[in-house]
Amino acid sequence: MEDTQDMIAQMQRELEQMQPELNEACRASEELLQRTHEKQKEADEVRAVVAVETELRMKERAECERESAEAAAAHEAAMPAYHQAIELVKALDGRSIAEVRSFKKPPPLVKMVMQAVAVILGKLPEWDEAVRLMADTNFCRNLLVLDMDTQVSETTMRVIRRLIANPDFVPEKVHKQNHAAAVLCEWVLAIDNYKRVIKDVEPKKRAAEAAESKLEAAMEQLRIKQAELKAIEDKVALLEKDLADVKVKQKQLEDKLADTRKRMERAKKIIRLLAGEQSRWKEERGDLVKSLETIMGNMIYAAASIAYLGPFNAVYRKQLSDDWRDKLEKLKLPHLPNFRLRSMVDDFQLREWHQLGLPTDELSIDNAIMITNCRRWPLIIDPQTQANRWLKAMGRREGQNLRVCKPTDAKFMRFLEVAIRVGSQFLLENVSDQIDSGITPLLNKETYKLQGRTLLKLGESEIEFSPDFRFYMTTNLSNPHYMPEVCIKVTLVNFTVTPAGLEDQLLSHVVRHEEKKLEDDKDRLVVEINNNKAELMRRQARMLDLVAKTDSSQLLDNEQLTETLEQSQEISRQVADSVAKAELTKTEIDVAREKFRLIARRGSILYFVISALATIDPMYSALI
């Protein structure tokens, strides 16, 4: 409980520290959210511009590519004829060229072709120039490597076109005059065709190049804007990351704050639930500490009482107890001044015993404690059979298979052997002042170990001895005389009725005779109170057990523990209320029963007066 209160104080301090942190995290989150929205808006605007310009540039690029493709297609359309002419030129050999060169007076068409060739090669359109060109061994190679774009000007082509305007300037007709000239004629026509195509394609090509140049400049601007957009998007991403981190921190703080509040509420609930238990636990703890301080003297007194007080009546027991306490004082052994045997059992156990028929006087209570705690088997002097009835009721109540026998029963030893083996209770009643020597090994507890089993030899039989076995002996002799060798083997307990005990018993009989309902109600209430208090003790023990078994660091995290404690506390409260009401009713019934107390007291006095007459003359003992 103290740890829980310390935890509450600690959590309160944590709450006070976390609240400013949470407020700061919320403020930072709002600020980052605002900045992110602004940057996102800016990015959206730039992105829209970039998208529009990108679309325009894509259209422009498509147009440039279309124009370039058209120019390239036209250019390629002129190339097959030229390549065919080149292949024919490659097929010419030196003999064919020499044949042309050998003409002193060349045929007209041959002369016309060679004049065109000379002009293309940058010479005058004369036959002599043509002959000199053909005289060069690299003539054909010069034709093959001719760059039509740079070496053949438009002026040259105008001269060529005047020559090829002649309708006879065709390879078929020239071939009739000379094969090599016909090949060269086809070469000239291929160059003319190429130059015509180039002339038409050149404007398109220049336009495509200009558009491409313009497009590249526009694309550069577009790339600049895209880079600007990328920078803004990077900033937005960074802000979003920072915002996410802040939100995570905010969520963690909120969760921690909520968890701390829950734990604090749970702690307050536990303190509220266990407030009543705390005072009781403190009181019990104090009693336990005090008991530990005085345990030596108390245990010496208790052991001496169980070992030696049994045979005596109440008067002698009191004298011996007073002498022992004086001795403890002289020896300065710590002990409780008011310690009694009944301090060894709780009120719940006493109520159960009384409910089962144990008289309520001090002597009977001490006798019951001796019987249930002695190390030697109890031999009970019970002329009024009070102990006999109580032991039988206990055997039935505890669900034990209590076997009751007399020494005179034929199967007494067989029943005893079975009880020892199975671990049940055995009551030997109507014992005389002579104990059967056959049970001496049992009285001496002469057990031994054999192959891990505990055995007892009874007569000729070796019986496995159960640790749960209990043995009681009762005698109805009022003043038996047992030999010392018997007395040292058993614990003698004098259960003779006392005036107070007899008075309570007679009161019960009188009330049951005169006011049966009143006594029945009293018996019912005794059972109800005992059961309710037993339930209350179980609930209190369960609450203590739950708290004790839960680690203090996990006490406030165990919601099931809190619910169980709440349920137990509610049930305990209801049971406590029922007990209080029953106690009040029982008090009223006891008050009503007290009007018959005088009759019971007179009956008790009469019994003991008649019993005392036996000391005058033994013949009066027949009156009892």
Side-chain angles (χ1 to χ4, degrees), residues 342-391:
R342 70 174 302 165
S343 303
M344 296 175 59
V345 294
D346 54 33
D347 293 338
F348 171 72
Q349 182 66 69
L350 288 178
R351 284 193 297 269
E352 273 201 340
W353 285 348
H354 295 325
Q355 186 179 334
L356 295 172
L358 181 72
T360 57
D361 60 286
E362 188 77 18
L363 184 73
S364 298
I365 294 172
D366 289 350
N367 289 339
I369 295 172
M370 293 176 191
I371 291 170
T372 54
N373 290 276
C374 60
R375 295 184 63 184
R376 292 173 293 178
W377 302 124
L379 174 54
I380 307 166
I381 301 171
D382 187 31
Q384 291 82 29
T385 68
Q386 296 179 109
N388 198 291
R389 291 193 300 272
W390 171 64
L391 288 171

